Amino acid sequence: MKSHLRKEMKRVLNLISEEQHEAHSTSIANALYETCLWKEARVIAATVSRNKEVNTKVIIERAWKDGKKVAVPKCNPTTSQMFFYEITNFSQLETVYYGLAEPIVEETVPVSKSSIDLLLVPGVVYSKNGYRIGYGGGYYDRYLTDYTGQKLSLAFDCQVVSEVPYESHDIPVEYILTEKELICCESV
């Protein structure tokens, strides 16, 4: 079921025009900057977007401009663990498997989980109660088990569905921000 929903949503996302993608990404980013979550966060963790994901590159640049620290994940496929490293420019990234941009460990500084104020959690499909279907690696669900900061996902409105299957180890996000609304998942 999860793999079917993931595959179907990727198909839907690929139908979004470049113009729509850019316009919706800009709307989401601008709405994010107005939230208390953004304004109060000193350290923001985010993946570097690719393909038809909400553009996080402009968000990362804005975070630097606003004097915030930016942490980007590095996945270890051998141990299935993920760690975050502070980047201060995009040249500190390297392209790894699946075209992911990850920090170059030798050029960056580790960021502790407890110091991340706002974690932008990626995914493919979301339900209004905060559960999501990611890319299938389980990295975020493992990382989030003892994470105490704010969890927010950026998504296009078409990525939010009535419900997604989830298991006991899946951890929901508190908020989903689309080009149309900020969904407070705990009140759904």
Side-chain angles (χ1 to χ4, degrees):
M1 179 75 169
K2 280 187 178 184
S3 61
H4 171 73
L5 282 169
R6 182 184 297 117
K7 185 177 178 183
E8 179 58 22
M9 187 55 67
K10 285 181 176 181
R11 188 190 67 74
V12 169
L13 289 171
N14 281 326
L15 298 175
I16 296 174
S17 70
E18 286 303 317
E19 295 78 22
Q20 275 183 310
H21 178 263
E22 188 174 328
H24 291 338
S25 286
T26 299
S27 293
I28 291 167
N30 288 336
L32 174 63
Y33 309 144
E34 296 303 314
T35 65
C36 292
L37 296 167
W38 176 268
K39 291 175 181 174
E40 294 170 7
R42 296 174 322 281
V43 180
I44 294 174
T47 57
V48 179
S49 58
R50 60 193 175 96
N51 305 327
K52 291 288 177 96
E53 295 174 330
V54 173
N55 183 356
T56 60
K57 292 176 184 148
V58 295
I59 292 168
I60 291 168
E61 289 171 338
R62 173 65 181 263
W64 289 330
K65 185 174 167 261
D66 289 356
K68 299 178 186 301
K69 286 185 176 183
V70 176
V72 174
K74 175 84 176 163
C75 297
N76 183 331
T78 310
T79 63
S80 296
Q81 288 187 297
M82 180 173 69
F83 299 95
F84 283 84
Y85 294 83
E86 182 184 356
I87 62 166
T88 54
N89 62 67
F90 289 119
S91 68
Q92 294 173 313
L93 298 171
E94 62 183 341
T95 302
V96 296
Y97 56 93
Y98 302 119
L100 293 169
E102 292 190 343
I104 300 168
V105 175
E106 298 76 26
E107 296 181 19
T108 54
V109 178
V111 175
S112 70
K113 192 182 292 192
S114 61
S115 68
I116 298 171
D117 301 307
L118 177 61
L119 182 53
L120 303 181
V121 182
V124 182
V125 186
Y126 304 87
S127 64
K128 288 194 176 218
N129 63 353
Y131 286 97
R132 62 186 186 85
I133 297 174
Y135 291 92
Y139 287 94
Y140 275 86
D141 284 315
R142 282 187 290 279
Y143 189 83
L144 293 173
T145 53
D146 57 352
Y147 173 71
T148 57
Q150 299 290 324
K151 299 180 292 292
L152 167 75
S153 287
L154 307 176
F156 299 117
D157 188 63
C158 65
Q159 291 177 269
V160 182
V161 299
S162 56
E163 61 182 85
V164 297
Y166 62 90
E167 298 163 47
S168 60
H169 61 83
D170 292 335
I171 296 175
V173 295
E174 287 120 352
Y175 304 94
I176 302 168
L177 180 60
T178 74
E179 71 275 15
K180 294 185 177 175
E181 64 182 327
L182 175 63
I183 301 165
C184 181
C185 302
E186 295 167 331
S187 65
V188 174

